[in-house]
Amino acid sequence: MVGTSIPSTALPKAASLTEAFLAPSPQLVEPAELHRLRHAFECELQLAAGPFDPKDRIRVDAYRLRNSMTGPNETGSPFRWTPWTARRPIGVESVRACLSNPRLTPIQATHEAIARLIRRADDDRRPDSLSGWLAGLAIGSRSVVQAEAVVWTTQLLTALDWTKLGRPVVGGDRSVVVGSSGQVLLRGRIEVRVRAVSGDRSFGPQPVLFSMMTGRPGPTARAELGLTALTVALDDRPDEIPLRVVGWWPQCGRALVVPVDVALLSRTCEAVVAAVRATAPTRRGPRLAKTATREAAKHKTTRTAPQTARMLPIIPAERVAS
Amino acid sequence: MAKQMVAEPLRQPSTRPVQANGADVLASIRGTSSHRPRVDPGLSGGLRDWLEDGLCSLSAGLVTPLVVNKQTLRDALSDRVDPRNTQATITDSMALGAVMDALFRQLVTTGHIDDPMKDGIDALRVDPRRSEVVDFVHGLAGQQLVDFQNELNAQATILLTRWPRLSPAWLPRTQERIAVPLAGGDVVLVGVVDLIVGAPSNGRASVGLIELKSGRARVEDREDLRFYALLETLRSGAAPFRLATFYSRTGEVDVEDVDDELLTASLRRVLTAIGRMVEEA
């Protein structure tokens, strides 16, 4: 089911999304393949980061990846808290609270989460902290923050059938420093992580990842989801090569189920390297005729998405989601 | 209801908006839960196919993506303005609507409004897209400011006394955005619903859509909600069971049940409007 959507006619939608999220699947990336890919990726990143001051840290997240791929390259305005940037951290805390106490509703959970954060403001005096920002808001402004967090929380709580998920980890974003220089930091955004049965007997249950996205799937959606998978795969924790990553766009009711294979990781590595080159301060890094990550991909034993996955109902995916 | 004001032939509302107390409003939004229709699993896909087919013949000359919302639909159907050059100037009624929307959101989410003017403006101030409204209100002076405050206080009082306290278990969420891409993303139908209640469908219609209006009741109000019903059906795969408009000027509430006929009428209206946009392009 590469690059397809969940059928819009399947109800309840949370059930079909959960089924696609947890479906057994063989492991598509061998540890040895990942090792080769990591080595090649680190070499390329080192080249790409060459023009930067060694003290600089280059952060590549989905936002930077998207900007780099859609161009023109934007350096982006500095981060600041708004109801839209605040809704996720508040929402993650609220979803956790609702899962641990099923009687709690999103309105109650967000209210308590915001109250907790404001109480924390006295201890957290960083000028850029969420707690401090919330504490400084008037009642009317704060109500907008809570209202946005309620929407976010409700969307995630109703996206999945949580009774089917064993020990879900909510909001386990990953940050990975790549390469010996430690200059490049990859940031993968994960709303939910659980372990699903791997169809391969040589592997135990492997992580599957769920990301809730804004708007509608665009041309960079696969790379953004690939970045999430890559950060987990490159993390040094053992047995952490994800089986798949599912993107969910609640505003349009679309999902994208992406099996994690070497090709996906390889393309994502290339996109990350390109993003780093695009933000280089003085000159672009050397252009490689044939990228090392592609070379690494060639060495892999070709394994593609399982045939069984294609048996799931598929509707024509919109062009941008394919 | 007001007279028909748009070019498309419209279904006449079956009932006039009625002034109601909180309990009545609650009952009219909820309806009878056992009467809610089962979801036709093929309806959403059929509507989407219909739209896609209709857009095939229309989208050739479009500057893409064409973003279609309730206002561009109204404008295209009434030939009032060229939808490509819409530059709305803020008026008293628009500013009042924006502040009332913010107060409605606050009331649903937090259960209280302390100072209508301050709370409303503070809510708008945190949204950079609403800076023009904030500037407009701050620019009011003399009798114009007094009239604005009087109307705002009057409507806030009606909202506080007539709007019911919703159970949080209904999962009320305010100003939820819906975006339905069609024609490979070349056309995007978008809407922001003031209030959605109900959990996603489990096979029976379970979601209600509610809009707050600070102005007089107009036929277009129902068309806005029918458009949102179409978007929700396309997004979720299940049609909402009921649409309601709450008029904060009078405390009236207007409700309408959703059926296939309503959705297909809205779909035809969307295709007609996009056809006119293409003609003008």
Side-chain angles (χ1 to χ4, degrees), chain A:
Chain A
M1 199 159 72
V2 181
T4 59
S5 301
I6 301 296
S8 63
T9 53
L11 290 174
K13 222 163 194 176
S16 53
L17 197 53
T18 306
E19 195 178 325
F21 183 41
L22 297 179
S25 163
Q27 182 81 37
L28 298 175
V29 183
E30 298 280 356
E33 294 168 335
L34 181 64
H35 182 74
R36 276 196 293 274
L37 184 97
R38 178 199 293 266
H39 178 69
F41 182 45
E42 287 176 353
C43 291
E44 282 203 40
L45 269 185
Q46 199 165 357
L47 287 172
F52 289 90
D53 186 312
K55 291 175 189 164
D56 285 346
R57 173 158 283 191
I58 308 143
R59 177 185 157 119
V60 180
D61 55 14
Y63 175 76
R64 175 165 282 190
L65 203 62
R66 185 164 56 242
N67 276 347
S68 159
M69 293 176 79
T70 53
N73 295 320
E74 296 169 19
T75 52
S77 49
F79 176 84
R80 65 189 182 98
W81 290 112
T82 67
W84 298 275
T85 54
R87 65 184 189 162
R88 184 173 183 263
I90 297 167
V92 163
E93 205 169 316
S94 303
V95 169
R96 287 177 186 150
C98 288
L99 292 177
S100 61
N101 177 6
R103 296 176 65 89
L104 213 54
T105 62
I107 282 187
Q108 295 158 335
T110 51
H111 173 76
E112 290 177 12
I114 289 171
R116 268 195 306 274
L117 282 163
I118 290 172
R119 282 197 298 272
R120 244 179 260 163
D122 287 339
D123 302 327
D124 187 356
R125 296 197 177 276
R126 287 174 300 150
D128 58 344
S129 75
L130 175 57
S131 304
W133 178 71
L134 281 170
L137 289 180
I139 289 171
S141 304
R142 206 180 288 162
S143 75
V144 180
V145 179
Q146 189 188 346
E148 285 294 329
V150 167
V151 173
W152 194 95
T153 303
T154 308
Q155 286 174 339
L156 184 54
L157 278 175
T158 56
L160 295 165
D161 180 355
W162 295 87
T163 62
K164 299 282 196 298
L165 306 184
R167 302 175 66 186
V169 177
V170 177
D173 291 359
R174 287 287 174 91
S175 295
V176 182
V177 176
V178 188
S180 54
S181 68
Q183 265 189 292
V184 179
L185 176 86
L186 303 186
R187 176 83 174 164
R189 177 180 152 151
I190 306 164
E191 263 67 49
V192 185
R193 182 169 58 89
V194 294
R195 288 187 176 272
V197 175
S198 165
D200 197 329
R201 285 186 179 179
S202 55
F203 294 94
Q206 291 294 299
V208 287
L209 315 171
F210 186 88
S211 278
M212 194 164 77
M213 321 284 269
T214 303
R216 54 190 190 277
T220 62
R222 281 178 63 82
E224 290 174 47
L225 296 174
L227 179 64
T228 298
L230 186 66
T231 53
V232 174
L234 293 182
D235 206 350
D236 282 334
R237 300 174 209 192
D239 302 328
E240 284 283 275
I241 304 174
L243 292 177
R244 75 176 60 83
V245 56
V246 174
W248 169 239
W249 287 261
Q251 285 178 28
C252 65
R254 291 259 176 172
L256 192 61
V257 182
V258 182
V260 177
D261 55 19
V262 174
L264 175 77
L265 297 179
S266 177
R267 279 195 299 270
T268 307
C269 287
E270 289 174 11
V272 170
V273 169
V276 172
R277 281 196 189 121
T279 51
T282 51
R283 63 181 173 83
R284 285 178 177 269
R287 185 183 173 86
L288 301 183
K290 191 179 282 184
T291 64
T293 42
R294 257 200 213 289
E295 283 296 292
K298 273 188 182 176
H299 283 96
K300 78 181 178 67
T301 309
T302 305
R303 286 209 274 179
T304 55
Q307 207 60 39
T308 49
R310 296 203 177 118
M311 289 168 65
L312 289 169
I314 291 173
I315 60 164
E318 58 179 312
R319 191 176 67 205
V320 290
S322 61

Side-chain angles (χ1 to χ4, degrees), chain B:
Chain B
M1 283 298 274
K3 291 187 297 185
Q4 293 183 6
M5 294 171 71
V6 293
E8 282 292 281
L10 299 175
R11 288 148 45 110
Q12 283 290 349
S14 55
T15 55
R16 292 175 61 81
V18 291
Q19 199 173 60
N21 60 30
D24 292 341
V25 172
L26 193 65
S28 61
I29 291 170
R30 183 167 49 194
T32 309
S33 54
S34 60
H35 292 171
R36 291 177 193 166
R38 290 202 68 77
V39 172
D40 174 356
L43 178 64
S44 172
L47 292 170
R48 185 179 287 274
D49 289 348
W50 188 347
L51 277 166
E52 293 283 6
D53 289 348
L55 290 172
C56 271
S57 58
L58 294 175
S59 57
L62 285 178
V63 177
T64 58
L66 177 69
V67 178
V68 178
N69 60 31
K70 66 179 182 183
Q71 191 60 49
T72 56
L73 285 175
R74 281 191 205 168
D75 290 343
L77 292 170
S78 64
D79 292 324
R80 275 197 296 252
V81 292
D82 178 350
R84 293 164 299 177
N85 297 319
T86 303
Q87 280 291 344
T89 307
I90 306 291
T91 62
D92 286 41
S93 59
M94 287 169 66
L96 180 70
V99 177
M100 284 306 300
D101 277 346
L103 293 177
F104 182 57
R105 195 175 201 199
Q106 178 174 331
L107 182 63
V108 169
T109 305
T110 69
H112 60 86
I113 298 168
D114 295 339
D115 177 339
M117 188 70 156
K118 183 177 184 314
D119 287 356
I121 294 300
D122 283 340
L124 296 175
R125 190 180 284 132
V126 81
D127 180 354
R129 295 167 302 179
R130 296 304 188 115
S131 60
E132 284 184 6
V133 178
V134 175
D135 292 344
F136 176 86
V137 176
H138 282 156
L140 293 176
Q143 190 58 44
Q144 199 183 9
L145 177 61
V146 171
D147 291 345
F148 185 87
Q149 281 182 321
N150 286 344
E151 182 64 22
L152 180 65
N153 287 334
Q155 294 207 15
T157 302
I158 289 173
L159 186 61
L160 283 164
T161 53
R162 301 261 170 79
W163 179 257
R165 184 81 188 244
L166 301 179
S167 164
W170 286 22
L171 301 179
R173 54 268 189 204
T174 52
Q175 295 189 16
E176 185 169 354
R177 288 167 279 275
I178 305 178
V180 177
L182 298 164
D186 285 349
V187 176
V188 189
L189 309 183
V190 299
V192 182
V193 187
D194 283 346
L195 173 62
I196 302 181
V197 292
S201 171
N202 206 5
R204 195 173 283 279
S206 59
V207 163
L209 310 183
I210 295 123
E211 282 279 285
L212 177 105
K213 299 287 183 188
S214 59
R216 295 174 190 279
R218 299 174 303 175
V219 173
E220 292 104 307
D221 297 344
R222 280 198 167 190
E223 289 303 330
D224 290 349
L225 268 171
R226 290 168 185 166
F227 175 58
Y228 289 163
L230 176 65
L231 296 188
E232 174 62 19
T233 308
L234 294 169
R235 168 176 78 153
S236 69
F241 66 91
R242 184 160 280 198
L243 312 174
T245 307
F246 181 81
Y247 292 94
S248 54
R249 188 170 173 269
T250 59
E252 292 175 336
V253 63
D254 177 46
V255 298
E256 184 174 34
D257 286 331
V258 178
D259 57 21
D260 294 4
E261 191 188 344
L262 178 148
L263 293 169
T264 54
S266 181
L267 183 149
R268 286 195 195 94
R269 180 171 175 267
V270 169
L271 286 177
T272 302
I274 294 176
R276 292 195 186 176
M277 291 177 202
V278 172
E279 281 172 18
E280 291 169 9

